[in-house]
């Protein structure tokens, strides 16, 4: 099965990690290994969808016989519906049954979309297919994060780092699968002079995550003629690679007695009341008593039960991720455009390596954070990471004419920013005592920032020139760090409120007993 394959892949790393981690973490993992590996595998599907569109967009343009301006709106349809899917995931998280059903359907939809894309003969059909994939990605993003936080609670930081590492794994696999099938020249032949000399340059400019129209508006390729592309095979291979993931989710549902034929059998995750207590009783039970519906968080009774700092923490946590995920999306999307423009004027093949270096450093940073998140608190990791982002962005601005530092800064930026999302998610849920609303808010805010900041940065570059790219990054980094400082202050206020509330409760109990 797919989960056993993942166990084999992770076995060597797990043995090393468990020699470092204390036995309690290993006991937690052994108790919930199948669920954990299943959630990790669905994020592999998420990663597959993130990275394939950039390298294949020119071949898809040929397949749909559309202009570059038309085909790049497919990026927007995916990103916008990813945001909608993140909100939808907050509604489907109410019970474990709903969550696993949504994950199985979403991962299956991704395979179906991969298989359907070769049949899309116009850009509207392709946009609809990518919108469906984006919705599935949003559902996966919210639910997988939520279930892992819910599963491990105060110990979730380590497992969240691994979860986000699997995004990088998927994002590395899909371009490798697609590369042998990409056209080497203009794949729409009309008997006239083609633009194959610019094809590699143009393909690299579209290799970032969610690149928008500003990168390609000045290119004009043929739309009429004979289509010659083999990209269909790449999508069918990716559909097969992803197919074991929904199977793994269904296997988990089978083991948890959630399939219709086991609807009257006791679920494995429900503790047997007749069972004696074991040393692992401290393992968080996978119940849904504390996780409410997304809109139930806004009920009047719930609003009255919390201080203002409770809701401000949600907003500030979301604001930090709005900025940092926006930086990731805009940097990956426009670093190539910045590199080939004056004053750097790098060769397009050299500049084309920058998005890959950035994503590889993010993946490496999340791998290293698996150990760091156990050794250090989330506050320390976030302080170092966000402070590092500010320093790197300032250096990129000051050394804007240095080709060497652009590569070094790209690598350092990816390492620094890689741990922000999982650490911020774990910290916010821990502060708010795992009420279940924070994950939906944070994931939705991150998706919104990724979409909005790309549009803003692209517009600024288009109107003000390439120099505005590092300047925009530096301003965003300072804003994100400021939001984080406000978050820490609000966290202090929220803790003081609970301390005073507990003191007053103890005094009332003491007076009542006397």
């Amino acid at each position: 099965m797919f989960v056993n394959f993942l166990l084999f892949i992770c076995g060597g790393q797990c043995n090393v990690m468990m020699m470092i981690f204390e036995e309690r973490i290993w006991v937690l993992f052994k108790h919930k290994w199948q669920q954990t590996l299943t959630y990790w595998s669905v994020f592999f599907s998420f990663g597959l969808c993130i990275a394939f569109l950039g390298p294949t967009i020119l071949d898809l343009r040929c397949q749909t016989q559309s202009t570059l301006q038309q085909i790049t709106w497919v990026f927007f349809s995916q990103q916008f519906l990813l945001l909608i899917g993140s909100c939808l995931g907050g509604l489907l998280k109410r019970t474990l049954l709903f969550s696993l059903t949504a994950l199985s359907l979403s991962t299956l939809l991704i395979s179906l979309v991969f298989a359907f894309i070769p049949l899309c003969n116009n850009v509207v059909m392709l946009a609809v297919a990518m919108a469906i994939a984006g919705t599935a990605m949003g559902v996966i993003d919210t639910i997988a994060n939520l279930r892992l936080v819910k599963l491990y609670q105060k110990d979730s930081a380590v497992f969240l780092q691994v979860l986000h590492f699997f995004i990088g794994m998927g994002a590395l696999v899909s371009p490798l699968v697609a590369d042998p099938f990409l056209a080497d020249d203009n794949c729409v032949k009309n008997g006239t002079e083609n633009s194959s000399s610019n094809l590699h340059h143009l393909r690299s400019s579209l290799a970032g995550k969610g690149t928008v129209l500003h990168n390609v508006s000045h290119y004009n390729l043929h739309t009429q003629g004979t289509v010659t592309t083999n990209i269909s095979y790449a999508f069918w291979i990716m559909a097969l690679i992803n197919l074991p993931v929904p199977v793994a989710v269904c296997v988990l549902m089978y083991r948890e007695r959630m399939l219709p034929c086991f609807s009257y059998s006791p679920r494995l995750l429900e503790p047997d009341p007749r069972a004696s207590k074991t040393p692992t009783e401290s393992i968080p039970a996978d119940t849904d008593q504390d996780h409410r519906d997304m809109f139930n968080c806004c009920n009047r009774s719930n609003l009255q039960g919390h201080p203002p700092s409770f809701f401000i923490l949600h907003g500030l946590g979301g604001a930090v991720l709005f900025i940092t995920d926006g930086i990731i999306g805009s940097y990956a999307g426009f670093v190539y455009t910045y590199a080939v423009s004056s004053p750097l004027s790098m060769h397009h093949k050299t500049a084309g390596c920058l998005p890959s270096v950035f994503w590889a450093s993010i993946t490496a940073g999340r791998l290293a954070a698996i150990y760091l998140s156990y050794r250090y608190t989330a506050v320390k990791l976030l302080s170092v990471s966000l402070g590092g982002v500010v320093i790197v962005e300032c250096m990129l601005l000051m050394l804007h004419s240095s080709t060497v530092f652009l590569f070094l800064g790209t690598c350092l930026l990816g390492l620094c920013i890689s741990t922000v999302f999982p650490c911020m998610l774990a910290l916010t849920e821990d502060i708010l005592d795992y009420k279940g609303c924070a994950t939906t808010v944070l994931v939705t805010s991150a998706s919104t920032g990724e979409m909005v900041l790309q549009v803003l940065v692209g517009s600024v570059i288009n109107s003000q020139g390439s120099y505005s790219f590092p300047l925009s990054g530096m301003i965003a980094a300072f804003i994100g760090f400021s939001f984080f400082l406000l978050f820490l202050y609000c966290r202090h206020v929220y803790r003081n409120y609970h301390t005073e509330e507990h003191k007053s409760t103890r005094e009332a109990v003491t007076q009542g007993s006397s």
Side-chain angles (χ1 to χ4, degrees):
M1 303 308 299
F2 187 64
V3 291
N4 294 328
F5 173 71
L6 287 176
L7 265 179
F8 174 75
I9 296 250
C10 300
Q13 292 181 359
C14 288
N15 290 334
V16 175
M17 291 296 179
M18 294 314 148
M19 288 189 294
I20 301 172
F21 297 159
E22 64 183 42
E23 186 179 357
R24 180 176 56 87
I25 299 295
W26 177 235
V27 171
L28 286 170
F29 179 73
K30 285 198 300 184
H31 188 74
K32 302 288 186 181
W33 70 268
Q34 187 169 10
Q35 295 175 75
T36 305
L37 289 179
T38 302
Y39 299 143
W40 289 349
S41 70
V42 299
F43 252 48
F44 179 81
S45 293
F46 187 95
L48 282 176
C49 276
I50 280 180
F52 83 86
L53 198 53
T56 62
I57 198 71
L58 292 180
D59 293 82
L60 291 174
R61 183 202 73 83
C62 294
Q63 177 183 301
T64 57
Q65 294 186 289
S66 55
T67 65
L68 282 170
Q69 289 74 22
Q70 291 172 333
I71 197 68
T72 48
W73 282 107
V74 174
F75 284 112
F76 177 79
S77 68
Q78 183 191 45
Q79 291 295 318
F80 181 72
L81 267 296
L82 192 153
L83 173 62
I84 302 299
S86 298
C87 300
L88 181 61
L91 301 176
L92 297 175
K93 68 181 175 60
R94 194 165 189 172
T95 66
L96 182 62
L97 177 59
F98 282 3
S99 297
L100 291 181
T101 303
L103 288 179
S104 63
L105 292 177
S106 297
T107 51
L108 181 61
L109 273 176
I110 288 175
S111 280
L112 293 177
V113 167
F114 280 143
F116 178 72
I117 285 176
L119 305 179
C120 297
N121 55 14
N122 62 72
V123 73
V124 175
M125 292 177 63
L126 182 62
V128 171
M130 292 312 305
I132 294 172
T135 305
M137 291 166 65
V139 171
I140 289 171
D141 198 9
T142 299
I143 292 180
N145 277 293
L146 177 71
R147 299 311 305 185
L148 263 192
V149 168
K150 190 169 178 299
L151 202 59
Y152 292 103
Q153 296 194 2
K154 292 185 180 296
D155 298 296
S156 61
V158 175
F159 299 97
L160 283 172
Q161 296 290 353
V162 183
L163 181 74
H164 288 266
F165 168 76
F166 271 88
I167 291 182
M169 289 286 289
L172 289 175
V173 168
S174 58
L176 292 176
V177 172
D179 186 68
F181 302 99
L182 299 178
D184 293 326
D185 54 6
N186 188 12
C187 45
V188 174
K189 309 287 187 181
N190 66 350
T192 62
E193 182 181 359
N194 62 47
S195 54
S196 60
S197 60
N198 286 327
L199 189 69
H200 293 292
H201 175 83
L202 180 54
R203 193 183 298 282
S204 297
S205 71
L206 286 160
K209 180 183 178 183
T211 307
V212 292
L213 294 173
H214 305 87
N215 270 1
V216 297
S217 58
H218 58 287
Y219 290 101
N220 187 19
L221 300 177
H222 304 305
T223 58
Q224 300 298 323
T226 304
V227 177
T228 57
T229 177
N230 296 317
I231 199 62
S232 300
Y233 299 108
F235 288 108
W236 289 329
I237 291 172
M238 284 189 279
L240 291 175
I241 291 175
N242 183 70
L243 197 57
V245 179
V247 174
V249 181
C250 290
V251 169
L252 179 61
M253 295 178 69
Y254 169 81
R255 288 178 61 87
E256 302 303 336
R257 305 292 192 266
M258 291 180 179
L259 296 179
C261 54
F262 296 102
S263 58
Y264 297 103
S265 303
R267 283 171 48 187
L268 297 181
L269 290 180
E270 293 177 349
D272 188 350
R274 298 169 296 179
S276 59
K277 293 182 178 180
T278 65
T280 61
E281 64 181 351
S282 62
I283 295 172
D286 195 14
T287 61
D288 294 281
Q289 296 174 353
D290 294 330
H291 284 257
R292 304 176 179 88
D293 182 86
M294 177 182 173
F295 297 107
N296 198 31
C297 301
C298 301
N299 284 349
R300 181 175 298 178
S301 60
N302 293 325
L303 291 173
Q304 293 174 348
H306 299 293
S309 55
F310 175 85
F311 305 100
I312 296 174
L313 282 170
H314 282 82
L316 290 175
V320 172
L321 294 184
F322 179 94
I323 296 295
T324 53
D325 266 49
I327 291 174
I328 291 175
S330 59
Y331 194 89
F334 294 104
V335 67
Y336 174 87
T337 302
Y338 171 67
V340 297
S341 303
S342 177
L344 291 172
S345 301
M346 293 172 57
H347 190 269
H348 66 87
K349 288 186 178 180
T350 305
C353 298
L354 286 166
S356 300
V357 169
F358 184 61
W359 282 109
S361 62
I362 288 178
T363 304
R366 285 171 175 167
L367 180 62
I370 297 171
Y371 171 69
L372 294 176
S373 60
Y374 174 76
R375 293 282 296 180
Y376 304 100
T377 63
V379 173
K380 291 181 179 179
L381 287 176
L382 283 168
S383 300
V384 173
S385 297
L386 291 170
V389 171
V390 171
I391 293 172
V392 172
E393 290 284 8
C394 290
M395 295 296 292
L396 285 169
L397 180 62
M398 290 187 291
L399 301 174
H400 64 277
S401 60
S402 173
T403 301
V404 174
F405 188 78
L406 180 59
F407 275 91
L408 179 60
T410 298
C411 185
L412 291 175
L413 181 63
L415 291 173
C416 290
I417 208 167
S418 62
T419 62
V420 173
F421 187 99
C423 285
M424 198 70 200
L425 180 58
L427 176 63
T428 307
E429 282 282 15
D430 186 38
I431 295 171
L432 301 177
D433 199 24
Y434 307 96
K435 299 297 182 183
C437 302
T439 298
T440 302
V441 172
L442 297 186
V443 171
T444 305
S445 299
S447 301
T448 307
E450 186 179 329
M451 181 177 66
V452 171
L453 259 67
Q454 286 184 66
V455 175
L456 291 178
V457 172
S459 301
V460 170
I461 293 174
N462 192 49
S463 60
Q464 303 298 324
S466 63
Y467 182 76
S468 59
F469 173 71
L471 180 62
S472 301
M474 186 195 70
I475 294 172
F478 271 106
I479 293 174
F481 191 73
S482 301
F483 280 137
F484 177 65
L485 294 178
L486 290 173
F487 179 88
L488 293 181
Y489 173 74
C490 191
R491 168 176 172 256
H492 174 71
V493 172
Y494 184 71
R495 283 185 168 181
N496 286 343
Y497 169 83
H498 273 282
T499 302
E500 293 174 1
E501 187 180 42
H502 291 159
K503 285 183 180 179
S504 61
T505 302
R506 285 197 299 268
E507 290 174 359
V509 171
T510 303
Q511 292 176 359
S513 60
S514 61

